[in-house]
Amino acid sequence: MSDSNWTTDFLNQLNSDITIAQIDNPSTILWQIETIHWQRFAEIALQEKLRWVAGWAEQQGTQFFIHACFEKQGTYILLRTVSDEQRPSIRSQATVYPAANRSERHTQDMFGINFIGHPDNRRWTRHQAWPEDAFPLRKDFPVQGAPEAITPPDMHYPFVKSYGAGVYEIPVGPVHAGIIEPGHFRFQAVGELILNLEERLGYVHKGIEKIAEGRSPEALARLAGRVSGDTTVGHCWAACRAMEYAADVEIPPRAALIRGILAERERVANHLGDMGAICNDVAFIFAQMQFTRLREQWLRTNAKVFKHRLLMDKIVPGGVACDVSESSQALIKQDIVQLRKELADIMLAVDLSTTLEDRLYTAGYLSPELAAAYGTLGYVARASGQDFDVRRDATYAPYDQVTFKIPVESQGDIASRFWVRHKEINVALKLLEQFIDLLTPGELLTAWKTPLAGREGLGIVEGWRGEIVTYLRFDADNRIARYYTRDPSILNWPALEKLVLNNIVPDFPVCNKSLNGSYSGNDL
Amino acid sequence: MFNIIKKTLTTGVVTERFKTPSDADLEQLGIEIKRHIDKNFYGSIAIRAVDAGSCNGCELEIHALNNPYYDIERFGIHFVASPRHADVLLVTGPVSRHMQTALLRTYEATPNPKWVVAVGDCAACGGEFGVSYASCGAVSSVIPVDMVIAGCPPTPLALLSGLLGLMKK
């Protein structure tokens, strides 16, 4: 991630208002500012069209380090401020960037850091498993906590209400009707029309950030691989990249190519599953059966080549824990030829289906303006005209060795999110072929070097849902001091609340599936 | 429409193409499940899947049971939308504390006789997440468990063979 021109201009502009301390960091540009300038920085960043990427905090001794990450033209800036206060107060960036909203609420719940002027400072990640005045990510909070025998339900969360003739409320979840993850949706509707949707997540909060502390690099990689099961490769890769920056370890070229193969195989498997599920939600069963059949074939090849259908634990710190033999390469290539042929048949039928035309076009519309304002990512963003992909714009091995297109659509509806996925499958298939052709004999693993205490790393990759940002810091003895990972779902979920407006309640499942946020990746 | 019919016909019935030894195992397994189900449940069991805190890996594989390769419904096993319609709860994940009451209420809403199957390593023992301020760990620490299907995540075949184990009880 090299310094590009805009950072110099931006720095000059900031310098009239804000003092910036530039800190050396192997993985990113790192700037430290005074706490009082936190919000002002965001205001200038927004004027300069920086994208708000992620926010998190960390306790070190008696100090709190508060971070926000920004991006423009593929260059990332990590912003930091340090507070010595016991209960830090800092002016909210969510007033400037809506994308920062839930992230700041999470930090508020987990660290007891107060964000002044926050537009919505209700609790977010906290339900009833710990009291209001306890903060799980503080160092004096034991990992076991002090839970009651039975954690009570979160009965009194202050949902937004609406009143008026004919307005009614539909509470849904946390246990849903399908085989899906738990979360609560609160609808206000008139007739069939959705007036408002409020998401209440956090049900699968498993304390991932807390239980990461004290882990070895290998154990962290395993945990990262279970942040969101469908993105096991993505999160594991992001965590390993961050650890490798911190430990100054460079992975062998063959390992990088295999990581690329794993990531693209994960992308294809998930897109196939989602495309089938979108069709299923509008009762087009032919496509659902065809897509799930193709997904199963794809996973069986995963099992043959990598010994795991979902590719868990194949990326390890320093490289990969699997190889792709010549016969496996041939198998993968043969599969790709077959998949292209089958997809061509199915997509023709899909394209001509009046059912899909009727249900998917114009439904669940997300405007490019909203997609940008909420900092949406991946196929959700790219179906609404946001032309960004980490693989191309902040490229990393092995994507720096190949050329590929990033499909972008501007229609913003469910059909658009469906077709973008199809195009992404085609790109991924080409990438897989290119990576296999580039494979040369070589090592799979670089020997690990214990990083110095305090070393930190920022690992950013393009998962199948979009950009994944992982920050971590090492303690002494190769132990993790802090781990935070921002799944793309964290920024995509709020967009769902907007894109369902003025749709009918029965279209909610297909709207939801077209976005397909991860609950587990969001709740951590 | 012609395209749909053509593709459907040329695809054929993948469900019956279990010629290789490993897939033959599945067929045998499935038939055995059916025999037990016939005996104990008069031909059918209704399963309610409950994610009590999983990473969603287990859900992906439970979903796969409904794809045309496994087509679990042909054995009389089907997934239902409400615990009130269920004979079996298939519970995944370490039970997050935020889901503890929801899981208890789902269990209470399931009519007797009922069976609980804990699916995946997290449901079996807490897995990678263990017990913490946010996680109760194994499903058995919250509701009685009749059967455990281990794996991270268990493959669709392991899920089928696990259900067989339940029927043999």
Side-chain angles (χ1 to χ4, degrees), chain B residues 74-153:
Chain B
R74 72 187 143 139
F75 305 123
I77 300 173
H78 60 284
F79 289 88
V80 293
S82 166
R84 295 188 200 283
H85 306 155
D87 306 305
V88 173
L89 290 183
L90 214 54
V91 187
T92 61
V95 182
S96 72
R97 297 204 185 269
H98 292 169
M99 276 301 288
Q100 192 177 9
T101 300
L103 178 61
L104 283 165
R105 288 183 181 175
T106 305
Y107 181 76
E108 281 158 21
T110 310
N112 280 315
K114 58 190 164 195
W115 286 262
V116 174
V117 182
V119 170
D121 289 349
C122 296
C125 67
E128 202 59 46
F129 304 100
V131 178
S132 73
Y133 78 94
S135 163
C136 306
V139 173
S140 59
S141 65
V142 178
I143 54 174
V145 168
D146 300 284
M147 165 87 214
V148 168
I149 304 175
C152 187

Side-chain angles (χ1 to χ4, degrees), chain A residues 224-299:
Chain A
R226 285 154 184 83
V227 166
S228 180
D230 51 19
T231 319
T232 179
V233 173
H235 277 286
C236 197
W237 193 352
C240 286
R241 271 199 93 191
M243 289 193 279
E244 285 149 11
Y245 274 126
D248 207 7
V249 166
E250 198 168 329
I251 63 165
R254 189 177 175 89
L257 285 165
I258 292 176
R259 285 183 179 186
I261 292 170
L262 293 167
E264 295 310 313
R265 289 197 68 84
E266 178 168 270
R267 191 180 319 277
V268 171
N270 280 301
H271 283 342
L272 287 173
D274 272 10
M275 288 170 78
I278 289 170
C279 292
N280 185 48
D281 279 344
V282 292
F284 190 57
I285 304 304
F286 159 78
Q288 149 82 346
M289 284 297 139
Q290 292 289 346
F291 281 117
T292 54
R293 180 176 65 84
L294 296 179
R295 178 181 153 90
E296 177 67 22
Q297 288 174 349
W298 193 257
L299 296 189

Side-chain angles (χ1 to χ4, degrees), chain A residues 76-124:
Chain A
Y76 289 85
I77 290 173
L78 179 53
L79 183 70
R80 167 181 297 166
T81 187
V82 179
S83 170
D84 291 312
E85 290 171 55
Q86 166 62 18
R87 284 293 297 269
S89 276
I90 182 165
R91 288 174 70 88
S92 164
Q93 292 188 340
T95 54
V96 183
Y97 283 100
N101 188 312
R102 288 178 182 174
S103 169
E104 288 186 352
R105 289 165 71 187
H106 177 72
T107 301
Q108 191 158 296
D109 287 350
M110 303 306 281
F111 284 96
I113 292 168
N114 179 29
F115 286 89
I116 304 162
H118 193 289
D120 174 11
N121 61 359
R122 289 174 295 172
R123 64 180 185 272
W124 177 246

Side-chain angles (χ1 to χ4, degrees), chain B residues 52-68:
Chain B
S54 102
C55 74
N56 78 28
C58 290
E59 277 60 41
L60 294 174
E61 294 297 52
I62 294 172
H63 259 293
L65 291 172
N66 286 318
N67 78 33

Side-chain angles (χ1 to χ4, degrees), chain A residues 237 240 244 249-262 305-306 313-326 328-329 435 438-448:
Chain A
W237 193 352
C240 286
E244 285 149 11
V249 166
E250 198 168 329
I251 63 165
R254 189 177 175 89
L257 285 165
I258 292 176
R259 285 183 179 186
I261 292 170
L262 293 167
V305 176
F306 300 101
D313 305 325
K314 297 302 156 195
I315 294 179
V316 293
V320 290
C322 58
D323 202 0
V324 185
S325 67
E326 291 206 356
S328 297
Q329 295 171 23
F435 291 156
L438 286 168
L439 280 174
T440 50
E443 295 290 314
L444 297 172
L445 206 57
T446 303
W448 188 251

Side-chain angles (χ1 to χ4, degrees), chain A residues 127-357:
Chain A
H127 290 200
Q128 300 294 329
W130 64 92
E132 193 177 351
D133 56 357
F135 307 108
L137 287 178
R138 288 196 172 200
K139 296 293 180 192
D140 59 2
F141 187 102
V143 67
Q144 290 306 320
E148 293 175 50
I150 295 174
T151 299
D154 195 25
M155 292 293 285
H156 303 292
Y157 182 76
F159 284 100
V160 171
K161 298 272 176 204
S162 60
Y163 303 92
V167 181
Y168 65 99
E169 204 173 70
I170 314 173
V172 182
V175 178
H176 296 301
I179 307 168
I180 53 168
E181 299 178 75
H184 183 91
F185 299 109
R186 187 67 63 102
F187 297 91
Q188 268 91 31
V190 169
E192 288 199 308
L193 207 65
I194 300 171
L195 286 184
N196 189 51
L197 164 66
E198 197 176 351
E199 296 158 2
R200 175 81 180 117
L201 303 178
Y203 285 93
V204 286
H205 175 69
K206 294 183 278 289
I208 287 174
E209 292 168 88
K210 188 77 175 179
I211 61 173
E213 293 175 10
R215 286 193 177 223
S216 66
E218 295 75 24
L220 183 76
R222 270 202 309 282
L223 182 65
R226 285 154 184 83
V227 166
S228 180
D230 51 19
T231 319
T232 179
V233 173
H235 277 286
C236 197
W237 193 352
C240 286
R241 271 199 93 191
M243 289 193 279
E244 285 149 11
Y245 274 126
D248 207 7
V249 166
E250 198 168 329
I251 63 165
R254 189 177 175 89
L257 285 165
I258 292 176
R259 285 183 179 186
I261 292 170
L262 293 167
E264 295 310 313
R265 289 197 68 84
E266 178 168 270
R267 191 180 319 277
V268 171
N270 280 301
H271 283 342
L272 287 173
D274 272 10
M275 288 170 78
I278 289 170
C279 292
N280 185 48
D281 279 344
V282 292
F284 190 57
I285 304 304
F286 159 78
Q288 149 82 346
M289 284 297 139
Q290 292 289 346
F291 281 117
T292 54
R293 180 176 65 84
L294 296 179
R295 178 181 153 90
E296 177 67 22
Q297 288 174 349
W298 193 257
L299 296 189
R300 287 182 180 196
T301 300
N302 279 354
K304 268 190 210 134
V305 176
F306 300 101
K307 311 285 176 263
H308 195 285
R309 285 163 57 94
L310 303 183
L311 310 174
M312 279 178 171
D313 305 325
K314 297 302 156 195
I315 294 179
V316 293
V320 290
C322 58
D323 202 0
V324 185
S325 67
E326 291 206 356
S327 60
S328 297
Q329 295 171 23
L331 175 66
I332 291 176
K333 281 195 164 181
Q334 193 189 321
D335 260 19
I336 290 173
V337 173
Q338 178 67 17
L339 180 61
R340 280 206 186 102
K341 197 170 146 286
E342 298 239 28
L343 269 180
D345 292 345
I346 299 164
M347 292 311 282
L348 181 67
V350 162
D351 200 16
L352 294 174
S353 159
T354 44
T355 303
L356 293 184
E357 193 181 312

